[in-house]
Amino acid sequence: MEQEKGKGSEERWNGAIANLTEMASNLDSLQKILLKKAVFVDEDTFAKASLTSEQARTIKVLEKRVETLEREVDAAITAAARARSEKRQAEAAQKAAELRAQEVTKELENTTKVFELHMEELRAKQEEISKRDKEIKLLEAIIQTLGGTTDSHH
């Protein structure tokens, strides 16, 4: 859509430049004819010829200005397109970074959950071990006591 707009204005500019060029060359021809005949003409005609040549010069200056403006417009359109594309890239990169951050956060949360489960398992095993330890000590005490009594009997 923007390209179509650009094409339309380009055609307008080209048309305007063509018109200006044609006017300039017409005025140039007219000026040459008038200046050739100026030797034989009155002040008024000579003044008109001078004015015509002045207008032709003005038109040439305007033509150059139009061309410069055209180049500036093209450059601005290109720069705007580049800026838009860079903005889209930056937005995409930001989105990707956000998604990665979410993934990492999820991974961390999962790791934490797994770690907590392992710790609970470990605590349960430790409790079991200390319980068995107490039972062993108790049994050892019983054995010693029994052994002691059998020893003292012998």
Side-chain angles (χ1 to χ4, degrees), residues 28-47:
D28 265 344
S29 312
L30 188 60
Q31 172 195 358
K32 281 181 189 125
I33 292 165
L34 284 171
L35 287 177
K36 266 184 209 157
K37 293 182 180 175
V39 186
F40 314 103
V41 296
D42 57 15
E43 285 294 313
D44 188 40
T45 310
F46 188 76

Side-chain angles (χ1 to χ4, degrees), residues 5-24:
K5 236 190 289 177
K7 239 183 220 149
S9 69
E10 196 178 308
E11 282 166 19
R12 270 207 312 280
W13 282 115
N14 290 344
I17 286 174
N19 288 345
L20 286 171
T21 309
E22 201 181 325
M23 278 169 69

Side-chain angles (χ1 to χ4, degrees), residues 5 42 60 63 100 105:
K5 236 190 289 177
D42 57 15
K60 280 208 174 90
E63 229 181 324
R100 184 70 194 116
T105 305

Side-chain angles (χ1 to χ4, degrees), residues 81-97:
R82 191 182 302 119
R84 273 195 297 275
S85 144
E86 283 169 5
K87 182 189 170 204
R88 276 195 298 273
Q89 284 171 354
E91 284 170 347
Q94 184 191 354
K95 194 150 252 158

Side-chain angles (χ1 to χ4, degrees), residues 119-137:
M119 282 302 289
E120 278 170 32
E121 242 177 88
L122 203 59
R123 269 194 219 102
K125 292 267 184 279
Q126 280 174 337
E127 278 171 27
E128 210 177 304
I129 289 168
S130 72
K131 205 165 98 182
R132 293 279 175 265
D133 204 33
K134 280 176 190 155
E135 284 174 16
I136 289 167
K137 281 198 176 99

